[in-house]
């Protein structure tokens, strides 16, 4: 649906990393606060293209004339696409580090080829229900495969914090990130959005610091929303 960059990664364990994005269509979730609902709600259907791995590498290179050194696969949920393995192989052959985020609902064998993999199970505020069996299997397979991966939970309220503490208990020892959620997706004035996001981030920092169940965690803002607000393609 989208190929864009270079920009900086706004989320997860590689926050701030200069990267280029490939966004795929389709998702098996319908999160209430999804900031990329156009990938699954039909509003972005005219942007969907079928491209080969070589096509995608060429378009990524054409963005600024240089071969990509870091590429983030995003969605939607890229884990719905078994054929992404060929793209990952092409990106790595071109010399790129490949990052990906998925909610931990579907396994693909190409997960073992991702350099920086973020598993982001969705908390109660999303309206989704976590399949703990599927998530535990995915975490176990990644651990057995010796892959570099992390867990991340987006936080909107106290129920989400309780959920995050449960995730931390279930998967102790895996790098764990909390991220303040953006609950104003319809605000297009960055000058109005940023103070609100700063308040949300401060609230999350205060709550995480005070919660003994949230040990050894990283607390993040959604960096790209601070810089560009709710703009697409950045």
């Amino acid at each position: 649906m989208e190929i864009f960059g270079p920009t900086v990664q706004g989320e997860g364990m590689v926050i701030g990393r200069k990267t280029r994005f490939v966004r795929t269509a389709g998702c098996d979730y319908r999160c209430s606060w999804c900031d990329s609902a156009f990938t699954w709600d039909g509003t972005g259907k005219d942007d969907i293209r079928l491209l080969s791995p070589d096509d995608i590498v060429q378009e990524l290179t054409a963005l600024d004339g240089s071969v990509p050194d870091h590429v983030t696969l995003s969605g939607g949920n890229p884990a719905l696409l078994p054929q992404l393995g060929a793209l990952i192989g092409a990106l790595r052959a071109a010399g790129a580090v490949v990052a990906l985020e998925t909610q931990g609902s579907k396994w693909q064998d190409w997960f073992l080829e991702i350099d920086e993999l973020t598993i982001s199970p969705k908390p109660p505020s999303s309206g989704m229900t976590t399949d703990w069996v599927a998530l535990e299997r995915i975490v176990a397979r990644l651990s057995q495969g010796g892959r570099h991966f992390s867990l991340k939970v987006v936080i909107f309220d106290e129920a989400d914090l309780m959920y995050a503490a449960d995730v931390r208990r279930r998967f102790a020892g895996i790098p764990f990130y909390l991220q303040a959620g953006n609950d104003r997706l319809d605000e297009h004035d960055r000058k109005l959005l940023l103070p609100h996001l700063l308040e949300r981030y401060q609230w999350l920092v205060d709550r995480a610091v005070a919660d003994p169940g949230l040990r050894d965690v990283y607390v993040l803002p959604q960096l790209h929303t601070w810089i560009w607000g709710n703009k697409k393609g950045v």
Side-chain angles (χ1 to χ4, degrees):
M1 294 194 78
E2 290 186 304
I3 296 175
F4 62 91
T7 183
V8 294
Q9 173 58 260
E11 304 181 355
M13 64 180 177
V14 289
I15 189 170
R17 176 66 158 90
K18 183 178 177 181
T19 190
R20 303 169 209 214
F21 277 84
V22 176
R23 187 184 299 281
T24 64
C27 191
D28 50 328
Y29 277 18
R30 300 291 184 267
C31 295
S32 62
W33 36 252
C34 180
D35 60 1
S36 53
F38 61 90
T39 62
W40 51 262
D41 68 5
T43 59
K45 62 182 180 180
D46 292 339
D47 295 328
I48 297 174
R49 296 183 293 155
L50 183 63
L51 300 175
S52 71
D54 287 343
D55 291 336
I56 294 171
V57 173
Q58 289 175 12
E59 289 202 16
L60 287 166
T61 301
L63 289 171
D64 71 349
S66 65
V67 177
D69 67 326
H70 192 282
V71 175
T72 300
L73 305 179
S74 185
N77 183 8
L80 296 179
L81 305 176
Q83 62 269 38
L84 277 188
L87 173 60
I88 294 161
L91 290 170
R92 296 185 76 187
V97 172
V98 182
L100 179 137
E101 179 174 321
T102 180
Q103 58 258 45
S105 59
K106 306 288 184 182
W107 170 265
Q108 294 290 348
D109 288 342
W110 51 253
F111 279 10
L112 298 174
E113 302 302 318
I114 297 293
D115 298 294
E116 297 164 340
L117 178 59
T118 298
I119 305 296
S120 183
K122 305 308 178 187
S125 63
S126 70
M128 300 294 102
T129 300
T130 299
D131 183 340
W132 293 108
V133 173
L135 182 58
E136 288 167 0
R137 287 174 177 167
I138 289 171
V139 168
R141 293 182 75 172
L142 289 170
S143 298
Q144 292 165 4
R147 301 311 301 164
H148 179 46
F149 74 102
S150 67
L151 289 159
K152 185 193 80 175
V153 176
V154 179
I155 304 296
F156 284 85
D157 54 31
E158 295 290 342
D160 289 354
L161 279 166
M162 292 177 62
Y163 174 90
D166 187 23
V167 173
R168 175 77 296 191
R169 285 191 296 270
R170 289 171 182 263
F171 304 109
I174 297 170
F176 189 67
Y177 295 80
L178 302 178
Q179 181 178 295
N182 176 11
D183 59 357
R184 292 190 178 177
L185 298 176
D186 295 328
E187 178 56 72
H188 298 295
D189 187 336
R190 175 186 164 276
K191 292 180 180 179
L192 296 177
L193 179 62
L194 182 55
H196 175 69
L197 296 178
L198 286 167
E199 289 181 5
R200 296 292 300 152
Y201 181 52
Q202 183 174 355
W203 171 82
L204 179 57
V205 169
D206 291 343
R207 292 295 290 111
V209 168
D211 190 337
L214 293 171
R215 297 178 179 272
D216 191 23
V217 302
Y218 300 83
V219 185
L220 303 179
Q222 199 176 34
L223 183 61
H224 58 284
T225 61
W226 285 24
I227 303 171
W228 296 290
N230 288 313
K231 184 179 179 181
K232 287 175 57 180
V234 291

